[in-house]
Every structure is written in C-alpha cells, then in structure tokens.
Amino acid sequence: MYYLDHAATTPLHPEVISVMIKYLQTDYGNPSSKYYPQAMSASSALKESRKCVADLLNCDPEFILFTSGSTESNNFVLKGVVEKYRNKGNHIITSKIEHKSIIETCRHLERLGTKVSYLSVNSEGHIDLNELISLINESTLMVSLMWGNNEIGVVNDVEQISRICHERGVLFHTDATQVVGKIEIDLKKTSLDFLSISAHKIGGPKGVGAVFVGPDDLGLRRRIPSLMDGGDQEYKMRSGTQGMHNIVGFAKACEMAKANLKENNMRLLQLEKKFKEILVSKCPGVKFNGDQINKIPGLLSISIPGINNELLCKQISNQIAISTGSACSIGEKSHVLEALDLADSTSTIRVSLPADLDNVEEVASILLPYISLS
C-alpha cells in the first residue's frame, strides 16, 4: 500500500522509535526531579532535545517551549497575546485559509470581545499585502499567518510579512507545521515573534510539538500567560510534567530532518513534477490548485472533473492512502477551497508525497483508472 497522506501525519521513523523506547523502559524519570539517575537522565535529555529542535529552526534553545503540538501552540500564542496585551489593543489579523486551530481560536476570542480581521486570498491562495497593511491599526496586537497551507501547499512570504508587522509595531506569529523539514527555516535571518510546529509531520510522534517564543525588545524571552496553571515547567509558560519519550522522539526527528533537508526537498520536487506530468498526460482536465511555484514540495491539491472525492478515497483505500483535504475538516466543506472560489470542492483530493516514494509511476497507474471512469 502507498501512504500518500503525509500532510495529515507521517509514519514514525525506526530511529525515532528506538530512542523513545529507552525513555519508556529505563530512563523514565521526571526531569523536574533531582538526585537520582532516572531524573538526571531525563533532565539532561530535555536540555539536549530543546537544542535539537532549536538547531532545526536555527534559533537559541531558550526560545523553544514544548507543547502537545501545533494546535496547542497556536492556542497558547493567540490567547496569550490577547491576555497579556489587552490594555494595548484588541485586534488580530489572520486569513480565511488558516488551519482550524487558528480559525476556531479566533472565533473564540471574538466571542470574548476581540476584533478579528480575516484576509481574503486570490485564486492562487495568496493574501494581498496591501490589504494587510490597510487593516493594521493602532489597536492591532498581532498578525497570524501560516507559513505553508495544509490543503493547497501555498507558501507565504513570511519574511516580508514579518517586516510589515514589525515596522508597524505589531507582533507576528506563523504556523510552520507543514513546512518544517521540507523548507529551510532560519530564525536568525527571518525575524518572527512566535512559530508553531508539530513532531508528527516530520516522522516524530503524535502528541508533542513546540512553539518558538521569540525575544522582546530587550532581547529576553518574551513571556505570555500559560494556557494551564500549575508547575514551573517550560519556563513557567506551559505547566505539566514533560512527556520525555515524546520529546526525545521529536528531537530525533528534528535531527534527521535537518540532516536530510536538502536531499528530501529535491526528491519531493522531482516526485511532484513526475506525478503531475503523468496525470496531465493521461487526464488533461485535472487542475492543480494554488500557486504551483511558491509551494510546499510534494503537497498537491488536485481537482478532477467528474469525481466524488470521498468515493474515490474509499475505492482506492486498500492500495493508496490519500485524503479529500485537511484531516481536521473531514466531512465538512473545505474553507480553504471556498476561499479560492472553487465551484466544486467535492471533486478535489489532496496528495502529500513521501520523499522515499520509490515508484510514482505505479501510484499513478493505480489512480488513473478511477479517474478515467469518472
């Protein structure tokens, strides 16, 4: 079976599993405890893991906080900024094609009185930077725009957006869940205030992620309120005993992603190009949604005239795993495709390729008969 839904989640790499087992069986100590070997081992591993994640993002380890994943990271940032800076303003800017963890958090904040502006996108999935500039006002606290979209793969110009925000004294957050490990992230060059990632998109375990909380005007770690009250873990901003088996697995996945980044990027671009060429040659009516140049390599949103995407996914499910769109929106109309003004989102599938796919031609040969019958 070919698993082509890597935008939803990725399989655990064997080396990640091997590292995790040690912290489940022998080094099971609480990193906040002291004096005995299991606790000291966990404490040391926590420090080293933070460094591994920071190395992948090219930032200082002290700016990395571990969370349960990008959904928590996104909630933590948006809610925390609104609470901390409520005396300075009550306005957030985001877009209509963000992940649901941003959209739903913004709706929650709106019910509590926060004003939220939702940027439109063009047919390729890009925001209008002039609209962004026009919406920033004296009450704007933050702009939150994802680095790469999870359904269509379009990549935002994060560096330019960050510059626009900072020139106007506005904080900038990006959800980088889909680009981490596929596109280089260098937080020493790209000035961000907050960034969210998850381990399970890069061969790590589910249930763990991180948030980059950048420096304030003094160069010190910015402090925002915790989502959960309790202990002093994660610099007193994320209470709760750290799940060390997940954290060390995450760190190993980051280490491998950094080592293989360029090779995997090139491989995904090659696989995507070949897959698209085959589909177009055999089924000229297919359409690839979103910007096909500035995009996440290997992630394709494909509209195929005449198909029912749910039926197609079920028909090929024993041979190929694909999706109709975001795993967080199964059974619902895609707000991303609606924002692109696609007339019929039920004819659209999402394919997210693995870098180690060895036979893209065979994948296409399995898929094509179902397309031609539509």
Side-chain angles (χ1 to χ4, degrees), residues 238-283:
R238 204 273 182 175
S239 299
T241 302
Q242 293 94 341
M244 288 309 305
H245 59 295
N246 274 341
I247 287 174
V248 296
F250 183 16
K252 186 63 179 179
C254 287
E255 182 183 300
M256 297 175 67
K258 180 177 174 63
N260 300 319
L261 180 63
K262 292 183 179 179
E263 180 183 346
N264 285 347
N265 183 284
M266 290 180 60
R267 176 66 177 156
L268 284 170
L269 288 172
Q270 292 168 354
L271 289 169
E272 177 184 311
K273 182 174 183 291
K274 183 65 175 178
F275 188 62
K276 290 166 73 174
E277 287 174 350
I278 296 172
L279 290 189
V280 170
S281 67
K282 301 295 184 181
C283 186

Side-chain angles (χ1 to χ4, degrees), residues 209-220:
V211 56
F212 165 81
V213 179
D216 60 18
D217 294 339
L218 299 176
L220 304 174

Side-chain angles (χ1 to χ4, degrees), residues 77-327:
V77 171
L78 268 64
K79 293 174 181 176
V81 165
V82 168
E83 181 179 346
K84 180 178 178 69
Y85 299 105
R86 60 180 177 268
N87 293 329
K88 294 185 178 181
N90 67 336
H91 179 225
I92 290 175
I93 301 173
T94 188
S95 85
K96 293 180 179 179
I97 65 168
E98 298 301 302
H99 189 269
K100 287 192 73 173
S101 61
I102 292 291
I103 297 288
E104 293 302 322
T105 301
C106 284
R107 287 174 178 165
H108 169 80
L109 291 171
E110 283 183 291
R111 290 191 290 270
L112 298 178
T114 301
K115 296 178 181 178
V116 182
S117 297
Y118 298 89
L119 293 162
S120 298
V121 295
N122 62 20
S123 60
E124 291 195 326
H126 289 294
I127 65 164
D128 182 340
L129 294 179
N130 289 323
E131 183 187 9
L132 170 61
I133 292 170
S134 70
L135 287 172
I136 295 175
N137 59 56
E138 60 184 14
S139 68
T140 305
L141 295 175
M142 181 171 63
V143 172
S144 178
L145 295 167
M146 63 192 346
W147 198 314
N149 187 268
N150 57 307
E151 289 195 42
I152 59 174
V154 62
V155 170
N156 278 315
D157 187 342
V158 167
E159 189 168 339
Q160 187 172 4
I161 293 169
S162 178
R163 190 180 306 116
I164 288 170
C165 292
H166 290 162
E167 286 174 353
R168 291 158 178 80
V170 173
L171 298 172
F172 178 53
H173 163 254
T174 189
D175 181 344
T177 306
Q178 291 293 342
V179 303
V180 66
K182 302 183 185 75
I183 295 174
E184 183 182 10
I185 298 176
D186 188 342
L187 296 182
K188 293 286 175 67
K189 293 181 179 178
T190 303
S191 177
L192 305 175
D193 298 293
F194 306 99
L195 176 145
S196 306
I197 57 173
S198 280
H200 73 105
K201 307 295 187 180
I202 56 170
K206 299 175 185 65
V208 64
V211 56
F212 165 81
V213 179
D216 60 18
D217 294 339
L218 299 176
L220 304 174
R221 187 192 313 107
R222 192 181 299 276
R223 303 199 64 82
I224 58 175
S226 174
L227 280 177
M228 299 173 289
D229 296 318
D232 294 343
Q233 295 89 349
E234 298 305 301
Y235 307 111
K236 298 184 179 181
M237 285 190 280
R238 204 273 182 175
S239 299
T241 302
Q242 293 94 341
M244 288 309 305
H245 59 295
N246 274 341
I247 287 174
V248 296
F250 183 16
K252 186 63 179 179
C254 287
E255 182 183 300
M256 297 175 67
K258 180 177 174 63
N260 300 319
L261 180 63
K262 292 183 179 179
E263 180 183 346
N264 285 347
N265 183 284
M266 290 180 60
R267 176 66 177 156
L268 284 170
L269 288 172
Q270 292 168 354
L271 289 169
E272 177 184 311
K273 182 174 183 291
K274 183 65 175 178
F275 188 62
K276 290 166 73 174
E277 287 174 350
I278 296 172
L279 290 189
V280 170
S281 67
K282 301 295 184 181
C283 186
V286 301
K287 177 188 175 186
F288 301 98
N289 301 309
D291 187 342
Q292 294 302 294
I293 299 174
N294 301 301
K295 66 180 294 296
I296 300 168
L299 196 160
L300 294 168
S301 173
I302 311 170
S303 291
I304 308 166
I307 71 158
N308 178 285
N309 53 9
E310 291 189 6
L311 178 59
L312 175 63
C313 290
K314 291 175 182 176
Q315 286 175 323
I316 65 173
S317 60
N318 288 329
Q319 297 171 285
I320 303 176
I322 59 173
S323 66
T324 60
S326 171

